[in-house]
Amino acid sequence: MTFEMTNEDLMMRELFKKFTKNEVEPIAAEIDDLERFPAETVKKMANLGMMGIPFPRNYGGAGGTYWQYINLVEELAVACGTTSVVLSAHTSLCAAPIYEFGTEEQKQKFLVPLAKGEKIGAFGLTEPNAGTDASGQQTTAVRDGDHYILNGSKIFITNAGYADIYIVIAMTDRSAGLKGISAFIVEAGTPGFSIGKKEAKMGIRGSSTCELIFEDCRVPAENMLGSEGKGFKVAMMTLDGGRIGIAAQALGIAQGAYNETVKYVKERKQFGRPIAAFQNTQFEIANMKTKIEAARFLVYSAAYKKDKKMNYSQDAAMAKLYASEVAMEVTTKAVQLHGGYGYTREYPVERMMRDAKITEIYEGTSEVQRMVISAAELK
Amino acid sequence: MKIVVCIKQVPDTNEVRLDPKTGTLIRDGVPSIINPDDKAGLEAALRLKDQYGAHVTVITMGPPQAKVALQEAYAMGADRVILLTDRVFAGADTLATSTTIAAALKKIDFDLVITGRQAIDGDTAQVGPQIAEHLALPQISYVSAFEHHGDHAVVKRSFEDGFQKIKVAYPCLITALAELNEARYMSIKGLIDAHRTLEIETWGFAEIDAPVEKMGLKGSPTKVKKSFTKGAKSAGKVMEGTPKELAIAIVDKLQEKFII
């Protein structure tokens, strides 16, 4: 498979690089340090049309491609893992399923403001007892006239507290197992819906990760996303797309750490010469570069297939598995090549190493990706 | 209000390297950008569009690949873009360039023409003022602030050691300094449209009304007599000591080199 970036893609990529350098990189260390949500950056992205790149114009989007959106996630992550996941969760996990599964009314009401960036999106699937085993949902939704009443809680929800629109997965018929799960669109401010504890995290510290609490929360029945019992399918297909976003985030983090390392090894002198003159450094750089490029091909291949409406589920899993492991490896090597300085907050590579770790965990751990990949092979 | 902004596509001189052997510019792989002063001029026009609904036309003269600069201008918010390109225009110095652009501007209705002060690849600062002369327009160069007031503008003309505040009636021409403002980013939608739906108007010699002998290399009185690469000088030496010791050391050095 070959990928050729069009002039449009290339110009967009230059824009993303410039935006990242001017608007994202200067505050990346600060938002990590203070655990501060980059609201000002989200506003700037919204003004430029970056919060809805892959959606059609009639739904408030820019009418671009998924690949272009993935390129933005990647470029943002080169400087800031936090900013990239805010965009990825918003676009892949909230706006995308409404576009894929929503009714025309739902698209007009929810997708349009999301794609325009007037509203921020989030997605709630994980529960204290339903992580990798997403089928163990405890949150319930019980029909009551023209409403559903939601009870339960979700944890580790990205963008929680800052999001206006949440996709929430809940059990509508426990006896039906996976076919008893449904998806709902819940607006912030709905009575009975509140934001719980905010997590203190190792990395992506500027992103908001909180608990969602539902106590007799009445959600209009017209806010059900997809039909009743189709929630598990909605969630799994959403995560397929989301994984390309996280894979792109991992790729960007690895690229960022690599860029910093190349700069550093040319400047840092030991034994009278730059450490770039030592073969150990040269070999490490070669390995890092090769793995990053391999990851890039997997990520772009998955995005390309999604744009072409080809089956990309396994590709997304392979991209996420490989890119996240490359991100962890490259950032760890980057810190090592920086030596003691790399362990300090004076240099960004320690932050990148902390940010990289989550990419092996969220939106399906590396183990889940292996399950997805092998299941397609051994069926 | 109708505004025409003249822009030039230039190599990004921040990215240009010199070939150490030949001393010439390595242009391969150097990205092309909108000249920074011109981009500030475009931004000034787009702010007038945002505030007062001005219509912004952007024009550039150059080879066909200069259309990329126009796509960027369109993606930033320009309403109309025109590419002046023709073999007849090639090899133009500032006079021939301004003659060609002025001839094109005669075909466009405008209240205000904005050019950049100077291009980073030529540094002449002549084309803007020359266009104004061809069109008999009042011109204000080195503009670092611009206010629109109905039928006139109040602008700040900056010098190294001071500034003038000038009131000028439309139509007029200003040349913008990069510090006039900070240019906006392209919008994603604008960028996509610039590639998918925008039809760039391309004007050649046939579309403008100017004598052929005044254009391109033929119409360029500028002759480059000689060009050379300035040789590298050896690093200077910093000496320390009392004034008396240093005076003696300097005299010794000058004598050593037979200068005195």
Side-chain angles (χ1 to χ4, degrees), chain A residues 288-311:
Chain A
M288 289 160 99
K289 172 79 181 169
T290 305
K291 287 182 179 177
I292 290 169
E293 284 305 313
R296 178 165 285 121
F297 270 76
L298 283 172
V299 175
Y300 290 1
S301 168
Y304 175 86
K305 285 189 175 177
K306 183 164 166 60
D307 274 327
K308 295 284 176 205
K309 309 213 180 306
M310 295 158 74
N311 189 347

Short mmCIF file of all heavy atoms in Angstrom, two decimals, chain A residues 288-311:
data_model
loop_
_atom_site.label_atom_id
_atom_site.label_comp_id
_atom_site.label_asym_id
_atom_site.label_seq_id
_atom_site.Cartn_x
_atom_site.Cartn_y
_atom_site.Cartn_z
N MET A 288 15.50 4.15 16.92
CA MET A 288 14.34 4.99 17.22
C MET A 288 13.67 5.41 15.92
O MET A 288 12.46 5.29 15.75
CB MET A 288 14.78 6.24 18.01
CG MET A 288 15.20 5.96 19.44
SD MET A 288 16.23 7.32 20.10
CE MET A 288 15.05 8.24 21.03
N LYS A 289 14.47 5.92 15.02
CA LYS A 289 13.94 6.43 13.74
C LYS A 289 13.20 5.33 12.97
O LYS A 289 12.10 5.54 12.46
CB LYS A 289 15.12 6.98 12.91
CG LYS A 289 14.79 7.36 11.49
CD LYS A 289 14.11 8.71 11.42
CE LYS A 289 13.76 9.08 9.98
NZ LYS A 289 12.89 10.25 9.94
N THR A 290 13.81 4.16 12.91
CA THR A 290 13.21 3.06 12.15
C THR A 290 11.87 2.65 12.75
O THR A 290 10.88 2.45 12.03
CB THR A 290 14.17 1.85 12.14
OG1 THR A 290 15.43 2.28 11.64
CG2 THR A 290 13.64 0.72 11.28
N LYS A 291 11.83 2.54 14.07
CA LYS A 291 10.58 2.12 14.72
C LYS A 291 9.49 3.18 14.56
O LYS A 291 8.31 2.85 14.36
CB LYS A 291 10.84 1.81 16.19
CG LYS A 291 11.59 0.50 16.32
CD LYS A 291 11.85 0.10 17.73
CE LYS A 291 12.58 -1.25 17.69
NZ LYS A 291 12.96 -1.74 19.02
N ILE A 292 9.89 4.43 14.65
CA ILE A 292 8.89 5.50 14.48
C ILE A 292 8.30 5.44 13.07
O ILE A 292 7.08 5.56 12.89
CB ILE A 292 9.51 6.89 14.76
CG1 ILE A 292 9.82 7.03 16.26
CG2 ILE A 292 8.59 8.01 14.31
CD1 ILE A 292 10.69 8.23 16.61
N GLU A 293 9.14 5.25 12.09
CA GLU A 293 8.64 5.19 10.71
C GLU A 293 7.74 3.98 10.50
O GLU A 293 6.73 4.06 9.80
CB GLU A 293 9.79 5.17 9.70
CG GLU A 293 10.45 6.52 9.50
CD GLU A 293 9.47 7.63 9.10
OE1 GLU A 293 8.65 7.42 8.20
OE2 GLU A 293 9.52 8.71 9.73
N ALA A 294 8.11 2.85 11.10
CA ALA A 294 7.27 1.66 10.99
C ALA A 294 5.90 1.92 11.62
O ALA A 294 4.86 1.57 11.07
CB ALA A 294 7.95 0.47 11.65
N ALA A 295 5.92 2.57 12.78
CA ALA A 295 4.66 2.91 13.45
C ALA A 295 3.84 3.85 12.57
O ALA A 295 2.62 3.70 12.43
CB ALA A 295 4.94 3.57 14.80
N ARG A 296 4.53 4.81 11.96
CA ARG A 296 3.82 5.79 11.12
C ARG A 296 3.09 5.09 9.98
O ARG A 296 1.94 5.41 9.68
CB ARG A 296 4.83 6.82 10.59
CG ARG A 296 4.23 7.85 9.67
CD ARG A 296 5.15 9.05 9.45
NE ARG A 296 5.18 9.90 10.62
CZ ARG A 296 6.26 10.22 11.32
NH1 ARG A 296 7.44 9.75 10.95
NH2 ARG A 296 6.19 10.99 12.37
N PHE A 297 3.73 4.11 9.37
CA PHE A 297 3.07 3.39 8.28
C PHE A 297 1.82 2.67 8.77
O PHE A 297 0.79 2.68 8.09
CB PHE A 297 4.04 2.41 7.61
CG PHE A 297 4.79 3.04 6.49
CD1 PHE A 297 5.84 3.91 6.73
CD2 PHE A 297 4.41 2.81 5.18
CE1 PHE A 297 6.51 4.52 5.67
CE2 PHE A 297 5.08 3.42 4.12
CZ PHE A 297 6.13 4.27 4.37
N LEU A 298 1.90 2.06 9.93
CA LEU A 298 0.71 1.37 10.46
C LEU A 298 -0.42 2.35 10.75
O LEU A 298 -1.58 2.10 10.44
CB LEU A 298 1.08 0.61 11.74
CG LEU A 298 1.83 -0.70 11.55
CD1 LEU A 298 2.28 -1.24 12.91
CD2 LEU A 298 0.93 -1.74 10.88
N VAL A 299 -0.06 3.49 11.35
CA VAL A 299 -1.08 4.49 11.71
C VAL A 299 -1.73 5.04 10.44
O VAL A 299 -2.96 5.12 10.34
CB VAL A 299 -0.47 5.62 12.56
CG1 VAL A 299 -1.50 6.71 12.83
CG2 VAL A 299 0.08 5.08 13.88
N TYR A 300 -0.91 5.42 9.49
CA TYR A 300 -1.45 6.01 8.26
C TYR A 300 -2.26 4.99 7.46
O TYR A 300 -3.26 5.32 6.85
CB TYR A 300 -0.33 6.58 7.39
CG TYR A 300 0.34 7.82 7.96
CD1 TYR A 300 -0.05 8.36 9.19
CD2 TYR A 300 1.35 8.47 7.27
CE1 TYR A 300 0.56 9.48 9.70
CE2 TYR A 300 1.97 9.60 7.78
CZ TYR A 300 1.58 10.09 8.99
OH TYR A 300 2.18 11.21 9.50
N SER A 301 -1.81 3.75 7.50
CA SER A 301 -2.53 2.71 6.78
C SER A 301 -3.93 2.54 7.36
O SER A 301 -4.92 2.44 6.62
CB SER A 301 -1.75 1.40 6.89
OG SER A 301 -2.53 0.33 6.44
N ALA A 302 -4.02 2.54 8.69
CA ALA A 302 -5.34 2.39 9.33
C ALA A 302 -6.23 3.58 8.99
O ALA A 302 -7.42 3.41 8.66
CB ALA A 302 -5.17 2.25 10.84
N ALA A 303 -5.66 4.80 9.05
CA ALA A 303 -6.45 6.00 8.76
C ALA A 303 -6.89 6.00 7.29
O ALA A 303 -8.03 6.35 6.97
CB ALA A 303 -5.64 7.25 9.08
N TYR A 304 -5.97 5.60 6.43
CA TYR A 304 -6.26 5.54 5.00
C TYR A 304 -7.42 4.59 4.73
O TYR A 304 -8.37 4.89 4.00
CB TYR A 304 -5.00 5.08 4.26
CG TYR A 304 -5.15 4.85 2.79
CD1 TYR A 304 -5.00 5.90 1.89
CD2 TYR A 304 -5.42 3.57 2.29
CE1 TYR A 304 -5.12 5.69 0.53
CE2 TYR A 304 -5.55 3.37 0.93
CZ TYR A 304 -5.40 4.42 0.05
OH TYR A 304 -5.52 4.20 -1.29
N LYS A 305 -7.38 3.41 5.39
CA LYS A 305 -8.45 2.44 5.18
C LYS A 305 -9.78 2.96 5.70
O LYS A 305 -10.83 2.72 5.11
CB LYS A 305 -8.10 1.11 5.86
CG LYS A 305 -7.05 0.33 5.10
CD LYS A 305 -6.89 -1.07 5.68
CE LYS A 305 -5.93 -1.90 4.85
NZ LYS A 305 -5.71 -3.23 5.43
N LYS A 306 -9.73 3.67 6.81
CA LYS A 306 -10.98 4.23 7.34
C LYS A 306 -11.56 5.24 6.35
O LYS A 306 -12.76 5.23 6.08
CB LYS A 306 -10.74 4.89 8.70
CG LYS A 306 -12.03 5.44 9.32
CD LYS A 306 -11.89 5.72 10.80
CE LYS A 306 -13.03 6.57 11.35
NZ LYS A 306 -14.36 5.98 11.21
N ASP A 307 -10.69 6.09 5.80
CA ASP A 307 -11.16 7.06 4.80
C ASP A 307 -11.75 6.37 3.58
O ASP A 307 -12.71 6.85 2.99
CB ASP A 307 -10.01 7.97 4.35
CG ASP A 307 -9.84 9.17 5.26
OD1 ASP A 307 -10.85 9.66 5.79
OD2 ASP A 307 -8.69 9.61 5.45
N LYS A 308 -11.15 5.24 3.21
CA LYS A 308 -11.62 4.52 2.01
C LYS A 308 -12.76 3.58 2.33
O LYS A 308 -13.15 2.77 1.48
CB LYS A 308 -10.46 3.70 1.41
CG LYS A 308 -9.32 4.55 0.89
CD LYS A 308 -9.65 5.21 -0.43
CE LYS A 308 -8.52 6.13 -0.86
NZ LYS A 308 -8.95 7.21 -1.74
N LYS A 309 -13.25 3.65 3.55
CA LYS A 309 -14.37 2.81 4.01
C LYS A 309 -14.05 1.33 3.88
O LYS A 309 -14.92 0.49 3.60
CB LYS A 309 -15.67 3.15 3.28
CG LYS A 309 -15.98 4.64 3.31
CD LYS A 309 -17.47 4.90 3.34
CE LYS A 309 -17.82 6.38 3.37
NZ LYS A 309 -17.18 7.13 4.45
N MET A 310 -12.77 0.99 4.05
CA MET A 310 -12.37 -0.42 4.08
C MET A 310 -12.43 -0.88 5.54
O MET A 310 -12.46 -0.05 6.45
CB MET A 310 -10.93 -0.57 3.54
CG MET A 310 -10.80 -0.20 2.07
SD MET A 310 -9.11 0.25 1.60
CE MET A 310 -8.32 -1.34 1.59
N ASN A 311 -12.41 -2.18 5.75
CA ASN A 311 -12.39 -2.69 7.12
C ASN A 311 -11.04 -2.37 7.75
O ASN A 311 -10.00 -2.73 7.22
CB ASN A 311 -12.64 -4.20 7.08
CG ASN A 311 -12.84 -4.77 8.46
OD1 ASN A 311 -12.56 -4.11 9.47
ND2 ASN A 311 -13.32 -5.99 8.54
#
